[in-house]
Amino acid sequence: MKIGILGYGNLAKGVECAIRQNDDMELAAVFTRRNPADVKIKTEGVNVYSVDDIVAHKDDIDVLVICGGSATDLPKQTPEYAKYFNVIDSFDTHARIPEHFANVDKAAKESGHTALISCGWDPGMFSLNRLYANAILPEGNDYTFWGKGVSQGHSDAIRRVEGVKNGKQYTIPVDSALEAVRNGDNPELTTRQKHTRECFVVPKEGADLDKIREEIVNMPNYFADYDTTVHFISEEEFEANHSGIPHGGFVFRSGVTGWNKENKHIIEYSIKLDSNPEFTASVLVAYARAIARLHSEGVTGCKTVFDIAPAYLTAMSDDEIRAHML
Amino acid sequence: MKIGILGYGNLAKGVECAIRQNDDMELAAVFTRRNPADVKIKTEGVNVYSVDDIVAHKDDIDVLVICGGSATDLPKQTPEYAKYFNVIDSFDTHARIPEHFANVDKAAKESGHTALISCGWDPGMFSLNRLYANAILPEGNDYTFWGKGVSQGHSDAIRRVEGVKNGKQYTIPVDSALEAVRNGDNPELTTRQKHTRECFVVPKEGADLDKIREEIVNMPNYFADYDTTVHFISEEEFEANHSGIPHGGFVFRSGVTGWNKENKHIIEYSIKLDSNPEFTASVLVAYARAIARLHSEGVTGCKTVFDIAPAYLTAMSDDEIRAHML
């Protein structure tokens, strides 16, 4: 199975690593908007090309993993490259998924390709767990918590504050809220009751720390609705302890069964990730396998994780998974 | 969607309750090996028939949920009734799944029906989570823990001990083992290190309690390999606190990613159930929906949970799930 990667940021680097962990796959090429000579990849013997030349490689690639951003890249890239390739992306702007799906579906059907959008962990594995749990327990409540982990958007917002040299923000689920959900209490939780936000800030020399703190904790949309803690640290401490991109989260379904709805059930799915982009990439690579297989069966158009039978994700045969995983 | 139930034990009663929670389904009939006049079901206006007359109802039922035992009932019943119905069972003898699959697949293909075997939570939802997590993190370790919950087989074993009037056994995962797995320590765990067993025993009058305790904790296959606690209680306490059938468990995947496998990831799925049979029944009913749909699409033969795309399980449309669950 020959995989192409479009882009070479953190997610793309994760895809490159994940391909190496799957014996039935190989990296065919990386495509970049930068000067290809400036992009050094890890895999030996694989070429980096300009994205302007991508169509010339359409017969060399089984699935193209598109590693652009959801705000402006993917809405254009995924429908465009679905004309020439089987494609997969991690589009994560939940509200715009129906529109993105329609655009990609049209392009993929017209060209006879297979596409998968919104793959990763949320959307992705979390969505799957919401769906399975809702189908099993139709009467109940859903809860999703994120963290502990780095929010890129909130870290960017901190770094835009005057006097801030560097900064990182961790989203943290509130333990008492997790416990109440786990106990089947079905709490109604406000934004403030679900998550706290913890910021590690490297100030510029001579900056007014109180002013920075006030500006962060009162920032509308990002921090005002949360209990936010701000820690000021040195550049050295930042490099030593806050250079990773961990993340994680929890999906719960709390439901009832029985003739009089007398029995409670809790389904909980959680992940704890040292590297958010590498885990997301690992999900993308497993689904790339599924997309290549569906395409070889003649399936075309756009899919989501809801449309893919689990057996398509693994390199093991149906006999093996029935014997060893069921 | 018209659902038939074969059998009327705890699992079947759970299926009856679950059907009532799904608006697109109705209970068509219950079939029993007992005298139908002796079987009183909860759903008004639905008939109970002898299993001897089941074939006469083959055109009235979209999916037959077979609620027999795995030891002797299901190996015969599921292939037999797949000749006349779309069928689903909860066959849970892991080692015999390939053989059972082959028998059911042959019967279903020859008669043009659709079948699903080994549905529930283990096998079932736990199997799905093992498969998804292995596909995402191909390098890692799997851990499954069961409980806290009632083991029917171990409770039966207790009740066979001389001097025991009634008894129930709870399987309990060891907290320190769960924590070690959650921390990514990848422990190698013996049987004794993974689970403990707790027994609540109502002794007969004048019974030798020390003898009962010794016989239980040293019982080969059932208790000898575990740390087992035996509590002697009154019939009243037994009825008040130990009449339920709770269960639960945990599935973990602990894996690594990165060019040098430097990043750890933990995926954890857990369930906490007030009623083991009602939860299993709820899974069966969601998959009955999928089987009816696959049959209407012309798919025949035997399937497992690995072969079913998640979207088939829900009553919601593809547009709805993309808009609200993804």
Side-chain angles (χ1 to χ4, degrees), chain B residues 157-224:
Chain B
I158 291 175
R159 288 190 291 263
R160 287 192 296 265
V161 171
E162 199 189 315
V164 170
K165 190 174 174 192
N166 207 347
K168 204 157 221 173
Q169 192 266 185
Y170 297 89
T171 305
I172 305 171
V174 174
D175 274 335
S176 60
L178 289 177
E179 279 314 303
V181 172
R182 246 178 226 132
N183 288 338
D185 298 344
N186 289 299
E188 288 196 25
L189 298 165
T190 63
T191 298
R192 194 177 295 274
Q193 288 169 327
K194 285 188 74 183
H195 297 94
T196 57
R197 298 195 178 278
E198 191 169 22
C199 307
F200 291 86
V201 173
V202 181
K204 289 180 182 162
E205 221 180 289
D208 181 341
L209 303 190
D210 286 341
K211 191 163 163 283
I212 290 175
R213 191 195 307 272
E214 284 305 300
E215 198 169 326
I216 290 174
V217 305
N218 295 312
M219 198 185 293
N221 301 321
Y222 286 91
F223 295 100

Side-chain angles (χ1 to χ4, degrees), chain B residues 124-180:
Chain B
M125 297 312 297
F126 277 20
S127 322
L128 276 182
N129 276 280
R130 285 187 282 262
L131 185 72
Y132 276 118
N134 273 267
I136 295 168
L137 297 174
E139 294 185 65
N141 294 308
D142 293 304
Y143 296 90
T144 301
F145 294 85
W146 296 275
K148 180 183 176 175
V150 174
S151 165
Q152 213 55 57
H154 289 78
S155 299
D156 291 345
I158 291 175
R159 288 190 291 263
R160 287 192 296 265
V161 171
E162 199 189 315
V164 170
K165 190 174 174 192
N166 207 347
K168 204 157 221 173
Q169 192 266 185
Y170 297 89
T171 305
I172 305 171
V174 174
D175 274 335
S176 60
L178 289 177
E179 279 314 303

Side-chain angles (χ1 to χ4, degrees), chain B residues 49-79:
Chain B
Y49 300 104
S50 166
V51 71
D52 299 336
D53 302 325
I54 194 169
V55 177
H57 297 273
K58 69 185 179 61
D59 297 327
D60 311 333
I61 286 166
D62 293 312
V63 182
L64 180 68
V65 185
I66 306 182
C67 298
S70 293
T72 56
D73 298 335
L74 296 176
K76 290 186 178 173
Q77 289 175 333
T78 313

